[in-house]
Amino acid sequence: MSKAIYPGSFDPVTVGHLHIAERACRLFDQVIIAVADQNYKNSLFDLEERKAFIADAVAHLPNCSIDVYSALTVDFAKKHGANAIIRGLRAISDYEYEMQIATINKYLDDSIETVFLLSGPEYSFISSSMIKQVGRTGAKITGLVTPMVEEAIKNRLFGTSESSF
Ligand code: ADP
């Protein structure tokens, strides 16, 4: 059975991430979305929230599951019997960073391949950080994230109540 992991911080998951996950699920028997455990200084959503958004977004993908990782990506892959790491490439600006990660992962474990999927042109401008920046202005983000994420961003940035994810 072919198995891949798709690691990232997903703060929050976007339709760009989802497009990559859907395509990975067609290439591999099983795909595990690996959500980075750490809460970054400027993270908008905590781990449980980020996981809940992904679970909602991938509910239609029967061969997709979600897990959390905190240490080395290659160790997480090995632990789950996956021999591929999925990463998305939007533009040449992603390349340098992604190449560094892929190269160090190859050095750490030669048996695990990084598989790059090119972003669909309609998704290539979408990033979690751009969603947060635009969301902070109150401008429209409909269609760039799932309705659940859109609602949560509005609540987090402009609502009075804490979200309940
Ligand atoms: P990280 O925090 O590891 O940089 P992200 O959570 O931002 O990761 O994204 C995880 C992966 O998804 C990365 O490989 C990133 O390049 C890719 N990705 C993010 N947004 C898109 C998009 N719109 N289209 C294709 N790939 C994307």
Side-chain angles (χ1 to χ4, degrees):
M1 188 203 281
S2 62
K3 211 188 251 192
I5 65 163
Y6 178 27
S9 39
F10 304 102
D11 180 44
V13 67
T14 70
V15 294
H17 291 128
L18 184 56
H19 190 232
I20 296 290
E22 285 169 345
R23 289 158 61 205
C25 283
R26 290 201 290 267
L27 290 173
F28 293 89
D29 294 323
Q30 224 186 319
V31 174
I32 305 168
I33 300 192
V35 189
D37 191 6
Q38 66 265 60
N39 285 316
Y40 299 98
K41 211 166 46 179
N42 60 350
S43 67
L44 185 60
F45 296 106
D46 68 25
L47 180 63
E48 288 311 311
E49 291 169 324
R50 288 183 277 135
K51 274 168 58 188
F53 300 150
I54 297 169
D56 171 67
V58 303
H60 63 296
L61 299 173
N63 58 334
C64 188
S65 58
I66 305 162
D67 206 340
V68 174
Y69 78 104
S70 52
L72 285 175
T73 313
V74 288
D75 288 344
F76 178 87
K78 218 164 12 189
K79 188 178 102 188
H80 289 273
N83 62 359
I85 297 172
I86 304 288
R87 296 289 287 178
L89 281 180
R90 282 161 291 198
I92 197 74
S93 49
D94 278 342
Y95 178 78
E96 201 171 335
Y97 174 67
E98 293 293 344
M99 192 195 67
Q100 281 178 17
I101 303 178
T103 307
I104 191 76
N105 283 339
K106 189 87 182 154
Y107 165 79
L108 291 170
D109 191 329
D110 195 31
S111 69
I112 298 174
E113 291 291 344
T114 298
V115 176
F116 291 109
L117 297 180
L118 286 184
S119 176
E122 66 274 48
Y123 302 107
S124 61
F125 68 100
I126 303 172
S127 66
S128 299
S129 53
M130 187 272 286
I131 294 291
K132 285 182 278 191
Q133 260 179 40
V134 175
R136 281 193 176 96
T137 70
K140 182 174 95 154
I141 50 170
T142 310
L144 307 182
V145 291
T146 60
M148 183 183 189
V149 171
E150 186 179 356
E151 195 56 33
I153 288 176
K154 279 188 204 149
N155 281 339
R156 179 57 45 89
L157 296 171
F158 304 109
T160 46
S161 59
E162 278 293 299
S163 87
S164 54
F165 305 112

